Amino acid sequence: METNPGDFNDGSSSPDEGITKLHSIGTTIGVVDGHIEYLKTLKFYAESSERIKNRLWCNPATRDGR
């Protein structure tokens, strides 16, 4: 969140936190299997809202990965 000077990427971000407005086109993300990739913002939000396990949500103890 750009309006809060106390916010910073501390390595514990989750997909439901969204992407900062500074990265309006896309950003690199760390994927649950350990690799990183560039993901367009619209694709990020589409995938983060899916209620299935995917590259953003993969908690093995849950049905939907969250």
Side-chain angles (χ1 to χ4, degrees), residues 4-26:
N4 182 355
D7 268 350
F8 60 94
N9 187 349
D10 60 0
S12 65
S13 300
S14 65
D16 56 352
E17 292 178 9
I19 297 175
T20 178
K21 292 177 186 175
L22 295 173
H23 297 283
S24 60
I25 296 173

Side-chain angles (χ1 to χ4, degrees), residues 1-57:
M1 172 74 72
E2 293 83 2
T3 58
N4 182 355
D7 268 350
F8 60 94
N9 187 349
D10 60 0
S12 65
S13 300
S14 65
D16 56 352
E17 292 178 9
I19 297 175
T20 178
K21 292 177 186 175
L22 295 173
H23 297 283
S24 60
I25 296 173
T27 190
T28 54
I29 60 166
V31 185
V32 295
D33 68 359
H35 79 278
I36 61 167
E37 61 185 79
Y38 182 81
L39 197 59
K40 297 277 188 165
T41 302
L42 292 176
K43 178 67 177 162
F44 174 89
Y45 284 113
E47 196 163 321
S48 67
S49 66
E50 293 175 352
R51 302 302 295 187
I52 59 171
K53 291 180 183 175
N54 57 36
R55 64 183 149 185
L56 301 176
W57 297 104

